[in-house]
Amino acid sequence: MGRRFTRSAAGAEAGHAGPPEPLAQDVHWAGERRSAIGVASLLLAALLVLDGGAGRLDLIRGALWTGLAVLVFVILLPPRVSARPGRLTARGLLVTDTVRTDSLVSIRWSDGVSQRMILRDSEGSRVEIDPTVLVRNAALWRRLDEDTRTSIERGTLLCGTTALRQLAGRIDRETAHTVFKVSGLE
């Protein structure tokens, strides 16, 4: 009797793993990119109109205003955060940072104008992300939470359980708030 192969069965028999696990990513990033483009465009338009109205707009000033608008865009554009099993990646305009989340050695907070979560792995890689990305994206949080549990089980995560508990509490509060809001109990 002949044997029929599907792509996945043929790939499995050839030693290939099944389909890759789904990529969890920041679902709000595209909107934030549009906002950054909009703010930079509005700034450029306002500066060109004001300078043109005053009769002072020339090529040099136009280039200066364009450069300022590009700088505002670069500052406002957040990195694109995504996660696969064992990896978390933050892609900026020029730099892509990846950390092994199943072998983390530390997780800590960096306070400042905007709070950042800094993750370091056993290979020395480092990623900085805005914790609100994890709060707003359940799939990213679940992936990171699962992988940090692996790091704890392996004994590599030496510093950061407090930061994880703080983030988990924040996510729980946000989830409860959303549930109350949707159900009309707020």
Side-chain angles (χ1 to χ4, degrees), residues 64-131:
L64 177 68
W65 298 141
T66 302
L68 182 62
V70 168
L71 179 63
V72 166
F73 171 73
V74 168
I75 290 169
L76 292 178
L77 183 68
R80 187 171 196 169
V81 178
S82 61
R84 289 196 184 277
R87 301 227 183 268
L88 184 122
T89 302
R91 285 183 178 82
L93 280 176
L94 302 175
V95 179
T96 297
D97 295 318
T98 299
V99 69
R100 296 245 352 237
T101 51
D102 57 358
S103 63
L104 291 171
V105 294
S106 73
I107 300 172
R108 64 183 178 87
W109 295 109
S110 172
D111 291 322
V113 174
S114 65
Q115 192 176 50
R116 294 281 182 228
M117 186 176 227
I118 303 167
L119 298 95
R120 290 185 188 272
D121 67 14
S122 59
E123 298 172 357
S125 299
R126 175 178 176 263
V127 170
E128 275 187 46
I129 61 170
D130 183 350

Side-chain angles (χ1 to χ4, degrees), residues 44-185:
L44 178 61
L47 290 171
L48 292 176
V49 166
L50 287 172
D51 230 15
R56 299 175 57 197
L57 184 62
D58 59 12
L59 187 60
I60 293 172
R61 290 177 71 89
L64 177 68
W65 298 141
T66 302
L68 182 62
V70 168
L71 179 63
V72 166
F73 171 73
V74 168
I75 290 169
L76 292 178
L77 183 68
R80 187 171 196 169
V81 178
S82 61
R84 289 196 184 277
R87 301 227 183 268
L88 184 122
T89 302
R91 285 183 178 82
L93 280 176
L94 302 175
V95 179
T96 297
D97 295 318
T98 299
V99 69
R100 296 245 352 237
T101 51
D102 57 358
S103 63
L104 291 171
V105 294
S106 73
I107 300 172
R108 64 183 178 87
W109 295 109
S110 172
D111 291 322
V113 174
S114 65
Q115 192 176 50
R116 294 281 182 228
M117 186 176 227
I118 303 167
L119 298 95
R120 290 185 188 272
D121 67 14
S122 59
E123 298 172 357
S125 299
R126 175 178 176 263
V127 170
E128 275 187 46
I129 61 170
D130 183 350
T132 56
V133 170
L134 298 172
V135 171
R136 296 183 314 181
N137 294 278
L140 276 173
W141 166 244
R142 281 192 303 272
R143 179 82 265 146
L144 179 63
D145 185 46
E146 186 176 311
D147 287 346
T148 54
R149 290 176 197 270
T150 303
S151 294
I152 292 169
E153 289 170 6
R154 291 180 179 172
T156 61
L157 187 59
L158 306 172
C159 172
T161 54
T162 303
L164 283 173
R165 277 194 306 271
Q166 290 172 342
L167 183 60
R170 182 175 169 191
I171 290 171
D172 290 344
R173 284 189 303 277
E174 290 288 328
T175 302
H177 178 74
T178 303
V179 167
F180 286 136
K181 188 175 181 179
V182 168
S183 64
L185 296 174

